[in-house]
Amino acid sequence: MSPKEKKGEITINDIAKELNISPSTVSRALNDNAKISEATKNKVKAVAKDLGYELNLVASSLSKNKTNVIGVIIPHLGSQFFAKALSGIQEVARDNGYNVIISQTNESVQQEVEMTRVMNSARVDGLVCCLTMETDNVDHFNVFVKKSIPVAMFDRVSYAVPGPKIVVDNYEAGYVATEHLINLGCKRIAHLAGAVSSKVFEERSEGFKDALKKNSLPLLSQFLLSSDLTEQDARDAVRLWMNLPQRPDGIVAASASSGLIIASAVKAMGIKLPEELSIISLGNERCNEFVTPSLSAVDMPGYEMGKAAVTQLIKCINDGVTDSSITLKPIQLLIRNSSFKH
């Protein structure tokens, strides 16, 4: 039976037999060893391709102490923000000769812990991560710190883990969004906030509260709700607010998805946007432009944050030094019909 017909994984021994050379020569050729002629390298690579041979990255890393693989751990693959971040990460990684392993936690800290174990087992050269909303203990990243494997974090970060941090000013995001509604004439503004344990959502809430305070508007306890920002949380908030004797005339949603759900829920109740209620979300999804009315948002630059995170990570890998710099990326206010009064 020829190597082409052979079942199972193709090895360097199969390539060696096909070319009648030693397995060590095949290994050196596949790894571009300078002692092997270009002619031999080309022959070996041609046969390897013909046989469907795949280089065993783990085995290769044992000899090189480098896999050229970067691990990525994010909360959601379906979010536009994280999709853009991944696009930036993969673009920079590819341009620098790195492959990327991607995993999602679905906002579960247990999954985050498990994914760090997987990435460590995969012998990644570095890790890019956005923490879950549940994460308050980051001990599971210690294995990378002890092995001097750099960890870059973006958006939701922990300063207890050494490494580059790429963030936005979440306080400013909350402040700008709230001030926008105040400038429209809104007097009773509610905020569906994220988990109080998350620094990102805490800062957004602080911006919301300070904008009200600066403009001498009251902060009513029933108008500030902390949640996990699930669909049910958003619908429960709408049900509560819209049944108050004095319901809000403006809502700041702490995430893009919760903003879309709130807009849908109030429309189903017959409330007119923006005539009776103005809505803005902290975070932007592509569908914000296409719902009716289109949903105003504070855009977080996911693509740029992803690029910056992996760029700084690769620099740490190449320099062999952990850089704990903090990079602040700008936000953008996108005014659409849900908060635009003619």
Side-chain angles (χ1 to χ4, degrees):
M1 181 180 291
S2 71
K4 283 187 180 182
E5 298 171 318
K6 182 179 178 179
K7 292 182 179 180
E9 186 177 355
I10 300 297
T11 69
I12 60 173
N13 290 326
D14 297 315
I15 301 170
K17 289 176 183 176
E18 187 81 359
L19 292 171
N20 197 28
I21 59 178
S22 69
S24 60
T25 300
V26 173
S27 177
R28 293 190 185 100
L30 290 173
N31 286 286
D32 286 316
N33 190 297
K35 294 180 179 179
I36 305 300
S37 70
E38 288 301 317
T40 300
K41 288 180 186 177
N42 292 337
K43 286 180 183 178
V44 169
K45 290 176 182 179
V47 170
K49 182 178 180 181
D50 186 48
L51 296 179
Y53 173 80
E54 295 290 340
L55 179 64
N56 187 323
L57 292 177
V58 174
S60 177
S61 70
L62 292 174
S63 60
K64 294 182 178 179
N65 200 31
K66 190 170 173 29
T67 60
N68 280 86
V69 173
I70 288 171
V72 179
I73 301 176
I74 57 172
H76 297 293
L77 289 171
S79 157
Q80 176 174 305
F81 171 78
F82 290 117
K84 286 184 173 181
L86 277 176
S87 180
I89 289 168
Q90 290 183 298
E91 180 181 313
V92 173
R94 183 178 58 249
D95 290 345
N96 286 273
Y98 284 88
N99 294 307
V100 176
I101 299 176
I102 302 164
S103 63
Q104 67 173 347
T105 62
N106 288 313
E107 298 291 4
S108 164
V109 70
Q110 289 85 0
Q111 280 295 307
E112 184 178 276
V113 171
E114 180 59 29
M115 288 306 102
T116 57
R117 291 182 185 139
V118 170
M119 295 300 178
N120 181 45
S121 297
R123 300 174 62 88
V124 295
D125 292 336
L127 185 67
V128 177
C129 182
C130 175
L131 300 175
T132 76
M133 285 197 290
E134 297 180 348
T135 305
D136 53 12
N137 185 311
V138 290
D139 286 350
H140 45 292
F141 290 96
N142 287 346
V143 63
F144 299 102
V145 176
K146 290 176 181 176
K147 294 168 69 174
S148 298
I149 296 172
V151 177
M153 292 187 176
F154 71 99
D155 191 36
R156 301 181 214 153
V157 307
S158 170
Y159 295 101
V161 181
K165 308 291 184 294
I166 314 298
V167 296
V168 297
D169 189 334
N170 286 289
Y171 173 90
E172 182 189 13
Y175 191 100
V176 165
T178 309
E179 191 170 58
H180 166 63
L181 297 186
I182 293 170
N183 291 338
L184 292 176
C186 295
K187 302 294 184 185
R188 299 181 306 279
I189 304 174
H191 178 40
L192 180 62
V196 292
S197 59
S198 169
K199 189 70 173 174
V200 164
F201 295 117
E202 180 188 354
E203 291 172 352
R204 291 178 184 181
S205 292
E206 288 302 315
F208 164 78
K209 290 187 285 188
D210 282 357
L212 293 182
K213 184 176 180 181
K214 181 185 176 184
N215 289 275
S216 302
L217 292 178
L219 172 60
L220 305 177
S221 58
Q222 63 267 38
F223 279 4
L224 177 57
L225 302 178
S226 296
S227 72
D228 292 327
L229 299 175
T230 64
E231 178 178 351
Q232 192 59 52
D233 289 335
R235 294 191 182 280
D236 288 346
V238 168
R239 192 176 301 111
L240 169 66
W241 290 333
M242 295 306 120
N243 284 295
L244 292 172
Q246 278 200 314
R247 64 192 189 194
D249 56 6
I251 296 176
V252 178
S255 69
S257 59
S258 61
L260 287 164
I261 295 163
I262 289 170
S264 173
V266 297
K267 280 174 59 185
M269 298 174 73
I271 297 167
K272 295 179 181 178
L273 304 177
E275 293 84 357
E276 297 178 84
L277 175 68
S278 294
I279 300 175
I280 186 169
S281 65
L282 303 180
N284 180 53
E285 294 285 342
R286 182 165 174 75
C287 55
N288 280 29
E289 300 177 54
F290 304 114
V291 295
T292 303
S294 54
L295 184 61
S296 297
V298 175
D299 189 40
M300 311 295 176
Y303 176 73
E304 290 77 10
M305 293 176 78
K307 286 185 70 173
V310 77
T311 295
Q312 294 195 27
L313 181 76
I314 291 172
K315 186 177 186 301
C316 290
I317 294 170
N318 293 338
D319 294 349
V321 177
T322 299
D323 172 16
S324 290
S325 63
I326 302 170
T327 302
L328 192 66
K329 290 294 182 180
I331 58 173
Q332 182 181 10
L333 176 64
L334 303 175
I335 302 173
R336 300 193 179 104
N337 291 335
S338 69
S339 66
F340 182 77
K341 296 180 180 179
H342 299 280

